[in-house]
Amino acid sequence: GAGVSQSPRYKVAKRGQDVALRCDPISGHVSLFWYQQALGQGPEFLTYFQNEAQLDKSGLPSDRFFAERPEGSVSTLKIQRTQQEDSAVYLCASSLEGLSNQPQHFGDGTRLSIL
Amino acid sequence: GNSVTQMEGPVTLSEEAFLTINCTYTATGYPSLFWYVQYPGEGLQLLLKATKADDKGSNKGFEATYRKETTSFHLEKGSVQVSDSAVYFCALIANDYKLSFGAGTTVTVRA
């Protein structure tokens, strides 16, 4: 497709389980971002990739969160030993070059619920 | 740090009414400013943007002007439709690549 694709759309997991969320960016987009959106709030930055390099992971809330983009295209956000406070919508975005005046294009998100 | 403050909702309007959503920001340097919209059940979509002072972004009848003197980027539409019901987010990027979002304003338009 032409847009950013995320899967799964919904994920329910028990506390303590590991989860993996996938993002397929727009073809040719160099930059890829992950954001976390809590209920009723705006998205918060998690991490940024330029091609396969993770240039910024300052927004990851703990060392249980890990992201990768090994071939500079598809990215996976992994959360280990999930906790209830991890429940949120996880948004992936991509842009052509990651410059401040270029728009970031968002996927529909993965809604993660931890029971 | 960078921050965005936008008008709290929810906002409920009748069709053809005038819509304004206030947005002010705090940022270092000269940020680029954006409005994103999230329709029910869908992802965030870029609605409009402005990259320098006095620029006006416009799309789908919506407008917002980058006001550096008041650090504002208010969103306006002259005549709303039911299909404009959505959550609207003001956002900025300053000196890097991270979008900083406001909390969002829920708009409901009644027929």
Side-chain angles (χ1 to χ4, degrees):
Chain A
V4 177
S5 178
Q6 292 187 246
S7 62
R9 190 74 194 274
Y10 303 93
K11 176 69 179 177
V12 179
K14 293 182 179 179
R15 188 162 54 94
Q17 289 183 329
D18 299 348
V19 298
L21 313 180
R22 176 189 168 103
C23 173
D24 203 337
I26 294 172
S27 178
H29 277 195
V30 168
S31 296
L32 185 145
F33 309 82
W34 284 97
Y35 292 83
Q36 180 189 58
Q37 185 177 16
L39 188 64
Q41 300 297 317
E44 297 274 348
F45 171 82
L46 292 178
T47 187
Y48 163 58
F49 290 85
Q50 189 172 78
N51 294 307
E52 69 278 3
Q54 188 175 22
L55 299 186
D56 188 340
K57 52 182 181 180
S58 61
L60 296 177
S62 77
D63 59 7
R64 296 185 296 104
F65 287 70
F66 172 77
E68 60 182 5
R69 193 187 185 196
E71 297 179 359
S73 178
V74 171
S75 176
T76 304
L77 177 66
K78 298 179 180 178
I79 310 174
Q80 298 176 324
R81 304 182 303 282
T82 53
Q83 300 178 4
Q84 285 193 322
E85 62 261 30
D86 300 335
S87 296
V89 176
Y90 291 85
L91 298 168
C92 177
S94 70
S95 70
L96 200 55
E97 293 178 355
L99 300 177
S100 64
N101 61 351
Q102 289 182 345
Q104 294 180 21
H105 301 271
F106 284 81
D108 288 345
T110 294
R111 182 177 298 276
L112 176 64
S113 299
I114 305 300
L115 305 179
Chain B
N2 302 323
S3 68
V4 176
T5 302
Q6 64 181 100
M7 190 170 95
E8 287 190 21
V11 174
T12 303
L13 303 166
S14 296
E15 215 166 18
E16 299 183 4
F18 185 86
L19 171 67
T20 299
I21 304 175
N22 289 339
C23 171
T24 57
Y25 66 88
T26 303
T28 53
Y30 298 95
S32 294
L33 303 175
F34 305 85
W35 276 100
Y36 278 83
V37 59
Q38 192 168 35
Y39 298 105
E42 298 184 16
L44 280 169
Q45 300 176 25
L46 178 66
L47 181 60
L48 53 84
K49 69 173 186 176
T51 57
K52 62 183 189 294
D54 300 325
D55 268 2
K56 178 186 285 188
S58 61
N59 186 25
K60 298 182 180 180
F62 290 88
E63 292 183 341
T65 300
Y66 189 143
R67 299 288 187 201
K68 185 172 181 294
E69 63 276 14
T70 55
T71 61
S72 64
F73 193 53
H74 305 320
L75 182 68
E76 297 181 336
K77 185 172 184 181
S79 177
V80 292
Q81 305 300 313
V82 172
S83 57
D84 294 324
S85 298
V87 183
Y88 293 82
F89 293 93
C90 186
L92 67 83
I93 296 178
N95 299 323
D96 60 14
Y97 37 78
K98 302 176 192 177
L99 274 165
S100 296
F101 286 89
T105 302
T106 300
V107 174
T108 301
V109 181
R110 300 176 304 196

